[in-house]
Amino acid sequence: MSTISEIACELNESVENRYELVLDIAELAKKLLDESRDKNLNDPFSEGKSVSSADKVIYQALIMVSSERDFGDGLIG
């Protein structure tokens, strides 16, 4: 199992409201993607390079959300 899957599984099992968790991750991923896009547009040396991939942004959002929660001795937190 990949690290991203392990993190997602542990988060899923450790929260009461999974719907809220999904919304938190999606909102943070959108924010990260928008920030990356804005930074790329304002960088004169970017030469139109693409912004972060969706997978990378979702992974970053998962890590950030999981780091905000305390899960004891688990994989994250």
Side-chain angles (χ1 to χ4, degrees):
M1 188 184 296
S2 71
T3 303
I4 193 167
S5 297
E6 290 173 15
I7 293 169
C9 286
E10 189 166 337
L11 271 172
N12 187 40
E13 293 172 0
S14 302
V15 297
E16 292 179 23
N17 188 343
R18 292 181 181 128
Y19 180 73
E20 182 181 349
L21 175 66
V22 170
L23 288 178
D24 288 347
I25 293 169
E27 184 177 296
L28 184 55
K30 183 184 180 317
K31 179 182 171 189
L32 291 170
L33 192 58
D34 289 345
E35 287 175 358
S36 175
R37 185 177 297 122
D38 290 345
K39 181 181 174 186
N40 210 9
L41 289 174
N42 294 326
D43 183 6
F45 300 107
S46 69
E47 299 176 1
K49 294 178 186 173
S50 64
V51 295
S52 298
S53 71
D55 290 343
K56 182 178 178 183
V57 170
I58 292 170
Y59 179 72
Q60 289 174 332
L62 273 170
I63 295 296
M64 291 174 75
V65 168
S66 65
S67 69
E68 295 172 354
R69 301 171 189 260
D70 182 22
F71 296 117
D73 295 333
L75 177 66
I76 54 179

